Structure formats: structure tokens, C-alpha cells
Amino acid sequence: MENSPDPAPSLLEVRGISKSFGAVRALQEVDFTLRAGEIHALLGENGAGKSTLIKVITGVFPRDAGIVRLGGEEVAPRSAKAALQAGIATVYQEVNLLPNLSVAQNLFLDRQPMRFGIVREGEMRRRAKALLTDFGLDIDVAAALGSYSVAIQHVTAIARAVDLSARVLILDEPTASLDRHEVEILFGIMRQLAKRGIGIVFVSHFLDQVYEISDRITVLRNGRLVGERETASLPRLELIRMMLGRELAETTSARASAGEHRAREVCASFENYGKAGYVAPFNLELRHGEVVGLAGLLGSGRTETARLVFGAERADGGQATVEGAPVRLQSPRDGVRHGFGYCPEERKTDGIVAELTVRENIVLALQAKRGLHRPLSRREQDEIASRYVRMLDIRPPDPERAVGLLSGGNQQKVLLARWLATSPRLLVLDEPTRGIDVGAHAEIIRLIRELCDDGLALLVISSELDEIVTYSDRVVVLRDRAHVEELAGEAIDVGNILAAIAADSVAVALEAHT
Amino acid sequence: MKGLPPVLITAIVLVAGFALCAVQFPNIASTRVVGNLLTDNAFLGIVATGMTFVIISGGIDLSVGSVIGFTTVFVALAIERWGVPPLLAFVAILALSAAFGAAMGAVIHVFDLPPFIVTLAGMFLARGASFLLSTESVPITAPVYSTVSDFALRMPGGGRLTAIAIIMLVIVIGGALLLHLTRFGANVYALGGSRATASLMGVAVGKMTVKIYMLSSLLAGIAGIVFSFYTSAGYSLSAVGVELDTIAAVVIGGTLLTGGQGSVIGTFLGVLIQGLIQTYINFDGTLSSWWTKIATGVLLFAFIALQQGLVALARRPAAKRAGAAT
């Protein structure tokens, strides 16, 4: 092999990786290059393919195509354990250690120092202590790992990985549950490890942290590589555009004549509504016949806002009003009683009941609203189900089919039907088009507009900015768990939304430094 | 102040219970009674040691009572009807029971089935097989049985530490060393913490599962031999329900039924507590022996409640605990 003039040779090379789950293409020909001694941020919104890429590299998922080279040699680990042996270690947000064992046992599990078949406990503790001292930790290594903070558990996991002679360290959202001081400690350790020549992949949705720690950035979107840049020469606005939008021309709201909507009646309003540590207090007005879009990066407080509005989470301040009357929203039951509906983001786990039929899924919310002592007769159920199957064009048009067998788009329609059957006044949709193929995508958007024309109030969350621009009358932009901007009418376009997200993050960054 | 570890609470319950019994019946506080207590519960102590490993690893073994029953019948028939030398019969049954446990462990791991179901099937299988061998009680008259039964170490105060009690103590101590000092023991705790995580950390989860159930069944086999010494007979209905007594002893001994925490010493204390209750009822003479079950039930409830309390306490945020301490 020739000597490369590059001072930082490629440590991990990923070329043309593809991975599908059934019909869903999670990764398409993704390339990724990690140099020795660099901290490389891997960014993308939910569903961009970050986790899938990590799991394919570490052998948790088998890959459909592509190669992975570590230090020039091709590797194809079949399990996380094999990847670890090859020198690729992953530390997940949920620390993958055993809280019931001591810190020392966690560091040396399955490779404890032995003598005559007996674990040398004293020697093991000494080594554990020495190892952790390198990472700036001075703790009682004989105590159970679970008795320490998440930060210490993270550092322990990293120490274990590094001690197992890891050359590549993948940190998946390591800072999500750490406070500022703990993040500083972690970053110190990361820099120190990078100096030792270890390549670090840093997955995070905290852009400030990405700019603080990373050398380079790779962005994925919808399972494809968007680009790889030097952090120092990538403006924040450009990064956010890479993460969220296509290289699109200005798309303006297709819902013209914004002025007309001003006169619409208020359906529900929220004043100073919020919850400490969840979403900062916000003002929000939802009107009949109007779509309000919630835009922002992952973790900016979009879903949190939706859950507060629906009552799935209790606010600790502020006042909610429905049709002019003050109300209390303490539980989803309250939300349903006031005529709210909520289609959550995690359709499979929080939405549909896969084993039940389309009919049973559709009547679920209506039956819950009526109460158990007023059961819907089978005939009523059949009527309701076939009406919505026809109206929303659910395919196959068989109300007796188990919902789990339907495609994502049709599952989403069943969820919509479930809430529509309760004749709601307000419908909250969290990522209604996620994981749905292109055809169904357009149909869901058409449905959203039709529902709106029928006088329903809609609050819609989406990461697809073009989509939000297409159907929203107003767009609320969030950043760092606060509502930072409201755009209406002509002002709604992708550029303005991006600017609002980015401008604020710069302001926040400045604030943090002063 | 930190809460007492569960083992210590078990020890306190045992000592307090013993003291209370001794106040009412001073004769209980003698090496004679203690020796009998160890002898009477020797088989329970042995099988409970194995169960401790299984439960700490996050599993359960419902087959042990049936394995004991099968062992007694097999040993009795082998020695009395088939003319096999006793030692050879012991080796054969231990190999058989170890293989049985290994098979259950393999099924649990390979097919990813709940241990409850697999060992429940094992329980029916072993019990059914022992009925197939013989439905009647088979007395054992081999000389080795009377020799072993007569052997005992004299303790001060006239108590007898019998051979089977010694076997039990050796196994308890051996089990404790295995659990607390070896890599195997550490892996047992790791499995109980989380199978998935242990696997990610490099523990050979499949091999461990096989070994753990093999150990449990092997110890059940030894318990069966000890039981045959104790009763000098093999009977297919012996040790019915012992798996439940065993689980009770393990839980009273402070082992978490969900796995990850516990000790062999605690289990031993749990066995002694059950034995103490039985002894008390024998001394009283007017109580039905079923009171043992009732008392065990009450204790079990108390310990499960206690463990839940400790778990809840441990989950409280550190700040709160610090605040409460000041």
C-alpha cells in the first residue's frame, strides 16, 4: 500500500450501503467516511437513517448492499459483539450496561482477572479505578452501577468500549440526558480520545453541541446521503437546509387568500400554556377551517406541544379555552370530551391496534367516547366502518381485515377515520405522512385540506417543510422547546421557516456565551 | 442511612424467630434440634441453591420437585430391582438429570421460550416418567443406606450432624463460592440484569442458560439422592410441590424474583426459616402442620412487599434522598 499524503487517513470507510425493511428503503447507497482522530457528527431528522446506518455498520442489521472497510480491511460483523471485537464500539443513549452489577464488574465482565478459576476482585477493582481515573472519574467501583448518575454510566460505557481496544467509537445521542456540566466532561473525554487516534461518530440533534465538538458533519435525509462538510465552513442555515429541505425554489402557500381566514371562529386557544422542562409557555389559537403547521427540528418541542394541546401531558401553567369557554385538559379523556383527536407519530406503537380489524380500529375512539354502557351495535359499526372506508378510500376496502396487514398509508387513514368518527372539532396530526409511500402521501395531504374545508381545526406536525408550506394557513416555528415565530399568509415559505429555525439558534448560542 | 440489604433482614427474621421460639420452648435452643432441622431440610437446601442461580439469572425452574421424585424412584429401582451398585446408580441419575436440565436450558435459549413454560413441561415430563417406572413406594434396603443414615458427627450438647446435612452444607458453601467469586457467577448476575445487554457485552448467553439449568437439575438430582437417604425409599409422589417451597425459600432469602440480585446464603437462611416454622409447629403439637404453609405464605408476602419497597426507594431521585437525609 502506498503512503497517503493525507495526514488523517480514513479509518472507517462505508461505501454504497443499502438496507430495506420490506418495501421501505431505509438506506440507499449511503457513503460515510471517518478519519482517525476526528469527531464526526452524523445528523438527520427522525427517519433519516442514522440509527439504521449505525446498526448496519455494527452488524445488528444485515446489509443488502455495500461494503465497510476498517483501516483498509473489509469487515462484515454479524453482531454487535463481533463489531466490538473488530474494534467498532457503540454507546447508546440508553446505556447498555448492567445496573445491578458493580462498576468494576461492568468494566471487566467476561474478562475479569482470574487466578485458579477465581475472580481477583481486588485486582479488578484496582484496574477499574485506574481506568476510570484516565477519564477523570474517582468513584467507588465496588458500588452498583445503577447507583450512579447517567453521566457516570455513560463514561463507564465509553471507558469499557475504549479499553476493549476500540478504534471507532459511535456515540448515539450521548448528551440527551446530561446537564451542561456533564456534557463538558463528556466532550473533554471525546477530545482526549480523538487525540489518541480514535475515530468518533457523534449522533446528536443538539446543533450547538455539534458545532462545539465536531470536525466534520455528514447529513442524511430519507435514507440518502445529503452531503459531508467541514463543520467550520458550514453555516448553520445551510446545515438546517441540508437536514430539512430539498434544494427547492420558493414554494408558497397553496392555500391562498390568507386574509379570508382571519374572520374564522376560534375553535380552541391556549394562553401562556406550557410545562416546565417540557415546552416553554406559548400562545396558540386554533380556528375552524384552518390548518396550523408546527415546524422545527427533532426535539424542538413539536410533539410536546401536540401532547399538551390534546391533554396527553398536563400543563403546569396557562389557560386553555374551547369555543370561548375555559377548560381543563388533564388527560386524553378530557381532550376527547372536548372534541379533540390526536394521531400520534408512532403509528405502530401508539396508534393502531394491529391485531384488530379495520372496523374495530375505526370505532375504538367513538366507543370510548360513548362509554361502555352504550355499546355500538354491530350494524352501526358496519355502517361507520364502510362509510369511512369509502370516504377515505382505504384499500383493500375490507373492514374485516386486520389493520396490521395494511400499508402504512392505509393505516394512517384508519387512524384518521377513528377520530373523524367522533366528529371532532380539532384534530392533531403528528407526522401524518411519515413512512408512507409517495402516492398515499399526496392523498393524505388532500384529505387534510378537505377536512379543513369542512370546518375542522387542524394542528399538523411535519418535518417535510414543503408539505407544511403546502397546506398550512399559519406556521408556528419551534426551537429548543419554545415557540419562536409564527408565520401567516404570504410569509409562509420554506426559506422563512429555515431562517426562523436558524436565526433563533444563533441567538440562543450567543445568549449562552454571554 | 442506607436501607438494610435484604439478606440482613432475612437473618434478623431468622434470629428473632429462633429467639421467640426458644422463649416459648427452651428445648428448641439445642444442637439436637438444630441438627434435626438441618437434616430434615437437607434436600430443600440443596435444590434451593440451584434455584438461586436460576432465579438470579432471571429464570425459574418448576421441574425440580419432579426431578427429585424421579430420582428417588430411579435410584430405588436401580439398586433394589435392577441390581445396579448404588454408586453407579448415583452417577447414572446425576448424568441423566444434568442432561435433562441442559436440554431445558437449550430449549429456552434456542426457541426463545419463557422458562416458566419450558420447565413446567419438564415438571410434567419428569413426574410422568417416575410414575411410568413405578407407582408404588419402593423401599431401599442396600447396606450403604443404613451406613450413611447411621453416620453423623456428634456436636456438643448431643446433636447429630448427619451425612446428608453435611452434604447440604458443602453444597451451600460451594454454591456461594461459585456465585460470588467466579466469572460464571458474575455472568449469572449479568443475565439477570438484562439478557440483551449481557449478550452485547460479550457474555455467551446461550451457553450460560444451558449451564444454569443444568446446574439446577443436577442439584435437584443430588437432592433426590439425599431425599432417598432421608426416607430410605423411592416413591413417585415424593417431593410434590417442593419447587414452590424452594422458590419461597429463595425469595424469602432476599433474591429478586425478577433476577439480578440475590445470594446463596440468603437462600440458606430462607430454608432455615421454613424449617424453624415446621419445628415450632412440631413442638406445639396442637397446630396442624398446614400452618407451616400459612406462615410461609405470610412471610413471602412480607418479603415481596419489602423488596418492592426497596426497589421503589432505590428509584427515587438522588436529590430527594439527599434532601430527606438532612
Side-chain angles (χ1 to χ4, degrees):
Chain A
M1 251 170 67
E2 279 179 66
N3 270 346
S4 161
D6 193 342
S10 297
L11 176 63
L12 182 74
E13 278 180 86
V14 174
R15 291 290 170 265
I17 289 279
S18 295
K19 174 73 191 170
S20 297
F21 298 101
V24 182
R25 303 179 73 179
L27 288 177
Q28 293 181 52
E29 311 221 339
V30 171
D31 294 346
F32 177 74
T33 309
L34 178 71
R35 295 177 190 153
E38 80 166 341
I39 297 173
H40 194 136
L42 179 61
L43 303 181
E45 285 286 277
N46 246 350
K50 292 169 298 181
S51 307
T52 312
L53 179 61
I54 290 173
K55 287 186 169 150
V56 166
I57 292 174
T58 54
V60 176
F61 295 150
R63 57 197 186 224
D64 299 341
I67 53 168
V68 177
R69 274 195 291 264
L70 179 63
E73 277 177 43
E74 209 174 318
V75 290
R78 296 251 179 103
S79 67
K81 192 180 167 185
L84 199 58
Q85 279 162 353
I88 305 174
T90 314
V91 176
Y92 291 97
Q93 180 185 350
E94 304 291 329
V95 180
N96 266 320
L97 291 179
L98 297 157
N100 61 321
L101 296 189
S102 72
V103 174
Q105 285 281 13
N106 267 294
L107 286 171
F108 290 101
L109 190 67
D110 215 41
R111 55 193 188 102
Q112 300 96 333
M114 307 283 287
R115 185 188 287 151
F116 311 125
I118 303 249
V119 173
R120 296 167 63 195
E121 189 74 28
E123 171 70 13
M124 183 171 81
R125 284 182 195 168
R126 245 192 322 280
R127 284 200 212 166
K129 194 114 188 150
L131 180 59
L132 289 182
T133 308
D134 277 357
F135 289 87
L137 279 190
D138 183 23
I139 57 172
D140 176 13
V141 294
L145 181 75
S147 64
Y148 290 108
S149 70
V150 180
I152 289 181
Q153 297 188 25
H154 262 294
V155 174
T156 307
I158 294 171
R160 177 183 161 90
V162 170
D163 197 49
L164 283 163
S165 75
R167 297 152 75 191
V168 173
L169 185 61
I170 302 173
L171 303 176
D172 191 357
E173 296 278 3
T175 57
S177 40
L178 305 187
D179 66 29
R180 187 62 221 166
H181 174 67
E182 293 167 330
V183 169
E184 285 303 331
I185 294 173
L186 182 70
F187 282 2
I189 289 169
M190 284 166 66
R191 289 194 188 100
Q192 193 189 331
L193 292 174
K195 239 179 233 153
R196 278 161 59 179
I198 293 175
I200 299 175
V201 180
F202 177 60
V203 179
S204 177
H205 62 260
F206 297 106
L207 295 191
D208 292 344
Q209 294 180 1
V210 167
Y211 273 98
E212 184 181 340
I213 189 83
S214 71
D215 302 311
R216 290 195 300 156
I217 295 174
T218 291
V219 179
L220 300 181
R221 180 154 38 82
N222 294 331
R224 288 173 195 272
L225 175 69
V226 179
E228 180 197 271
R229 304 288 165 81
E230 299 283 335
T231 308
S233 60
L234 178 64
R236 205 175 276 250
L237 185 63
E238 176 64 19
L239 171 62
I240 293 169
R241 183 170 296 149
M242 285 169 77
M243 289 168 68
L244 289 187
R246 288 157 216 162
E247 303 298 327
L248 39 82
E250 302 292 274
T251 322
T252 41
S253 174
R255 299 183 52 76
S257 57
E260 167 196 334
H261 300 297
R262 288 275 164 232
R264 291 189 188 278
E265 278 171 63
V266 174
C267 165
S269 72
F270 300 84
E271 259 175 71
N272 268 327
Y273 214 62
K275 181 179 181 176
Y278 197 65
V279 183
F282 59 85
N283 293 318
L284 184 63
E285 232 173 49
L286 303 165
R287 306 194 185 104
H288 286 289
E290 200 185 58
V291 180
V292 174
L294 288 180
L297 294 176
L298 179 67
S300 59
R302 296 173 309 188
T303 298
E304 288 79 358
T305 300
R307 290 177 60 86
L308 277 177
V309 165
F310 183 57
E313 200 74 38
R314 279 188 206 185
D316 60 5
Q319 181 61 54
T321 318
V322 174
E323 309 288 1
V327 296
R328 287 161 68 84
L329 296 168
Q330 305 236 320
S331 68
R333 274 186 77 85
D334 289 345
V336 172
R337 212 179 51 236
H338 292 303
F340 295 178
Y342 176 46
C343 298
E345 179 178 9
E346 294 298 330
R347 201 163 50 226
K348 289 219 164 59
T349 53
D350 302 345
I352 60 159
V353 186
E355 294 79 15
L356 295 187
T357 64
V358 170
R359 169 179 55 82
E360 287 164 326
N361 268 282
I362 289 178
V363 300
L364 211 56
L366 181 59
Q367 184 62 67
K369 197 178 178 188
R370 285 166 59 118
L372 282 178
H373 52 278
R374 288 172 56 210
L376 286 162
S377 75
R378 179 60 194 254
R379 233 190 57 215
E380 286 172 293
Q381 291 187 22
D382 284 336
E383 263 174 32
I384 293 167
S386 56
R387 171 148 41 96
Y388 285 104
V389 167
R390 225 178 314 117
M391 188 174 126
L392 305 185
D393 193 19
I394 294 170
R395 284 179 212 183
D398 173 12
E400 296 310 313
R401 181 174 280 254
V403 162
L405 301 175
L406 268 54
S407 71
N410 283 300
Q411 290 181 358
Q412 189 66 54
K413 288 185 193 169
V414 170
L415 269 185
L416 271 175
R418 178 193 292 171
W419 289 112
L420 292 178
T422 66
S423 335
R425 51 167 64 97
L426 166 67
L427 208 47
V428 182
L429 308 176
D430 195 348
E431 296 283 4
T433 56
R434 155 107 359 110
I436 291 176
D437 59 76
V438 183
H441 202 276
E443 234 179 310
I444 297 280
I445 290 176
R446 181 182 57 79
L447 271 172
I448 289 175
R449 294 165 117 178
E450 280 178 11
L451 291 172
C452 177
D453 291 339
D454 291 345
L456 200 64
L458 283 147
L459 180 65
V460 184
I461 297 173
S462 179
S463 301
E464 302 279 337
L465 292 188
D466 328 357
E467 190 184 305
I468 277 209
V469 165
T470 317
Y471 53 62
S472 298
D473 296 286
R474 281 181 293 140
V475 174
V476 174
V477 180
L478 292 98
R479 155 76 191 170
D480 275 336
R481 305 197 167 233
H483 294 213
V484 296
E485 177 108 40
E486 188 172 319
L487 304 167
E490 300 295 320
I492 299 178
D493 66 45
V494 172
N496 282 349
I497 295 175
L498 285 176
I501 296 173
D504 190 64
S505 71
V506 172
V508 167
L510 285 175
E511 251 169 57
H513 283 282
T514 48
Chain B
M1 202 189 84
K2 264 189 162 180
L4 292 172
V7 176
L8 218 59
I9 294 171
T10 311
I12 291 169
V13 168
L14 177 62
V15 171
F18 194 79
L20 279 178
C21 291
V23 166
Q24 199 177 350
F25 305 109
N27 285 343
I28 282 188
S30 68
T31 54
R32 200 180 291 257
V33 172
V34 172
N36 286 346
L37 200 157
L38 290 177
T39 305
D40 294 342
N41 293 288
F43 76 100
L44 191 61
I46 293 169
V47 76
T49 301
M51 185 70 85
T52 308
F53 281 82
V54 175
I55 292 182
I56 291 176
S57 80
I60 194 98
D61 188 352
L62 296 179
S63 71
V64 290
S66 298
V67 171
I68 293 175
F70 180 82
T71 303
T72 63
V73 176
F74 181 90
V75 166
L77 288 177
I79 295 172
E80 298 298 324
R81 303 267 166 85
W82 309 332
V84 179
L87 221 55
L88 195 63
F90 296 160
V91 170
I93 189 60
L94 291 185
L96 204 60
S97 48
F100 183 67
M104 286 194 299
V107 169
I108 289 167
H109 175 71
V110 173
F111 299 107
D112 196 20
L113 291 171
F116 188 97
I117 297 299
V118 175
T119 59
L120 185 69
M123 171 177 121
F124 285 121
L125 264 174
R127 188 64 72 183
S130 51
F131 278 108
L132 219 66
L133 289 180
S134 166
T135 51
E136 289 156 29
S137 178
V138 183
I140 307 174
T141 53
V144 79
Y145 269 71
S146 48
T147 320
V148 169
S149 297
D150 290 344
F151 175 85
L153 293 178
R154 290 260 156 222
M155 291 190 285
R160 296 170 75 246
L161 192 60
T162 58
I164 60 173
I166 293 170
I167 294 175
M168 187 259 279
L169 291 177
V170 167
I171 284 175
V172 166
I173 292 166
L177 296 180
L178 181 66
L179 183 62
H180 299 297
L181 295 185
T182 66
R183 192 172 279 179
F184 177 82
N187 286 350
V188 169
Y189 283 98
L191 246 61
S194 157
R195 285 177 77 84
T197 304
S199 169
L200 280 178
M201 290 175 72
V203 175
V205 172
K207 271 189 205 161
M208 279 300 298
T209 307
V210 170
K211 282 185 193 165
I212 289 167
Y213 285 91
M214 192 164 96
L215 178 70
S216 175
S217 284
L218 178 70
L219 289 179
I222 295 177
I225 295 172
V226 163
F227 197 76
S228 73
F229 279 118
Y230 183 60
T231 57
S232 289
Y235 185 32
S236 45
L237 271 178
S238 53
V240 169
V242 159
E243 58 279 347
L244 302 181
D245 295 338
T246 311
I247 294 167
V250 172
V251 172
I252 290 174
T255 296
L256 269 185
L257 205 47
T258 45
Q261 267 166 41
S263 66
V264 170
I265 299 306
T267 298
F268 178 62
L269 298 178
V271 169
L272 292 187
I273 287 177
Q274 286 195 40
L276 182 69
I277 297 167
Q278 182 68 52
T279 308
Y280 176 85
I281 284 160
N282 290 347
F283 264 74
D284 184 89
T286 60
L287 290 171
S288 151
S289 76
W290 290 105
W291 279 99
T292 317
K293 303 283 179 203
I294 293 171
T296 307
V298 169
L299 268 181
L300 213 49
F301 265 123
F303 271 86
I304 291 167
L306 178 87
Q307 285 177 348
Q308 285 305 315
L310 287 179
V311 168
L313 214 65
R315 282 205 189 125
R316 270 168 57 187
K320 250 188 192 167
R321 232 180 323 176
T326 50

